[in-house]
Amino acid sequence: MTDYRHDLLFGTFLTPSAQDAGQVVELARLTEQVGLDLATVQDHPYQARFLDTWTLLSVIAAHTTTLRVAPNVANLPLRPPAVLARSVATLDILTGGRVELGLGAGAFWDGIAALGGPRLDPAESVTALEEGIAVIRAMWAAGGPTVRVDGTHHRVRGARPGPAPAHDVGIWLGAYKPRMLRVTGRLADGWLPSSSYTGPDTLPALNRAIDEAAESADRRPADVRRLYNIAGSFDGTGGGFLRGPAGVWAEQLAELTLEQGMSAYILASDDPDQIRRFAAEVVPAVRELVAAGRPTAAA
């Protein structure tokens, strides 16, 4: 198994409910207060019950001091990549380097089309994502040549790049299908699947696909961080993934780190008690188990 050697990250995946707007910000503040690293928010602009993700992340960042923030994942068909690049860079500058970019090719095409976005088939959406990544990276290269990407879906012709983000922002792709996994290996800084779609038993084959694509592009597989959106319950005795006491969670997550190279666990929960318990009981135990299992690795 490839030794990915990334520091462990832990965070939350919050629902951007407009009805509970203040509570969402409080949950993000709680994420920081209990010592977690990252707060993320899903991005479905066609969902009328949801707050706008980018505006919400900006407010969360303004109400915290160390917490990293990221869309999980940004809906590229409704967020033009040149503008998205400047939004990301701007917030990264204003927060002193606390922004990452989860990015997706799009889904729920009826909703996207209803807001005036393109209706793409699966192949077109992946092509558009590749073009979008090229635009974003070029826009972040402040001081470089004018940006020219003449794609099928995204065209930028002569834009001035900049501003540059305050740090090297990671582009983390939500990817499941073979071509998206290959794009992840070739172009992305991280892979961000969800356990509800991709259970632990599926990770080895998908990780291999990413590794092979990275190597074919003359990259190290370790260049692609492996993140995981997770959900579970502290009830039960441990039958199934993350269904049982905190010790069961810790053992299962540490095993994924040691055997599959997963290095970030993002808890999908709007329950403050579960977030507190995750931070207090699971996270330290995972760190200890990983340190014991890989003594020379950063944990």
Side-chain angles (χ1 to χ4, degrees):
M1 198 280 297
T2 299
D3 190 351
Y4 299 99
R5 298 278 178 146
H6 287 282
D7 291 344
L8 287 171
L9 292 177
F10 298 90
T12 53
F13 187 4
L14 306 175
T15 305
S17 172
Q19 185 175 355
D20 302 306
Q23 176 68 5
V24 180
V25 177
E26 286 305 309
L27 287 172
R29 294 181 65 191
L30 175 65
T31 299
E32 179 178 63
Q33 289 163 5
V34 297
L36 299 179
D37 307 293
L38 175 72
T40 73
V41 178
Q42 58 188 286
D43 185 32
H44 298 287
Y46 36 76
Q47 176 52 264
R49 295 182 292 108
F50 286 174
L51 299 163
D52 172 70
T53 293
W54 201 256
T55 307
L56 175 58
L57 290 175
S58 299
V59 172
I60 288 172
H63 281 79
T64 55
T65 56
T66 62
L67 192 70
R68 295 160 71 172
V69 298
N72 192 350
V73 290
N75 191 306
L76 185 64
L78 289 172
R79 298 194 181 275
V83 177
L84 178 61
R86 285 189 167 148
S87 297
V88 171
T90 297
L91 190 56
D92 199 54
I93 292 167
L94 292 171
T95 61
R98 293 193 282 130
V99 180
E100 310 296 344
L101 177 58
L103 192 60
F108 306 105
W109 295 101
D110 288 345
I112 290 170
L115 284 186
R119 185 186 294 274
L120 304 178
D121 64 31
E124 291 172 332
S125 69
V126 178
T127 298
L129 179 68
E130 293 181 85
E131 295 170 359
I133 292 171
V135 171
I136 290 167
R137 294 205 186 278
M139 291 295 294
W140 286 342
T146 56
V147 179
R148 297 187 180 277
V149 176
D150 191 17
T152 302
H153 306 282
H154 297 295
R155 301 177 183 87
V156 180
R157 297 168 177 169
R160 294 182 181 275
H167 85 298
D168 290 333
V169 173
I171 296 179
W172 302 338
L173 297 188
Y176 301 95
K177 298 296 181 63
R179 187 178 168 200
M180 278 289 289
L181 295 170
R182 292 194 295 271
V183 171
T184 302
R186 289 192 295 108
L187 301 177
D189 304 301
W191 177 43
L192 181 54
S194 296
S195 63
S196 56
Y197 294 105
T198 301
D201 59 321
T202 69
L203 294 178
L206 303 183
N207 268 324
R208 282 195 298 272
I210 293 171
D211 291 351
E212 290 168 2
E215 290 167 349
S216 295
D218 293 324
R219 304 181 71 200
R220 298 181 310 131
D223 291 340
V224 185
R225 177 190 276 277
R226 315 302 158 107
L227 307 98
Y228 207 21
N229 293 320
I230 57 172
S233 169
F234 290 113
D235 298 328
T237 58
F241 183 58
L242 305 184
R243 301 290 172 183
V248 169
W249 284 51
E251 290 173 2
Q252 292 177 339
L253 297 182
E255 182 179 359
L256 289 180
T257 298
L258 294 169
E259 300 200 1
Q260 290 303 316
M262 311 306 284
S263 63
Y265 299 104
I266 303 171
L267 178 65
S269 177
D270 299 313
D271 181 346
D273 291 334
Q274 189 178 52
I275 292 170
R276 291 188 186 96
R277 191 166 181 185
F278 178 66
E281 300 179 32
V282 177
V283 170
V286 174
R287 293 190 185 279
E288 289 180 9
L289 289 169
V290 170
R294 187 184 297 156
T296 60

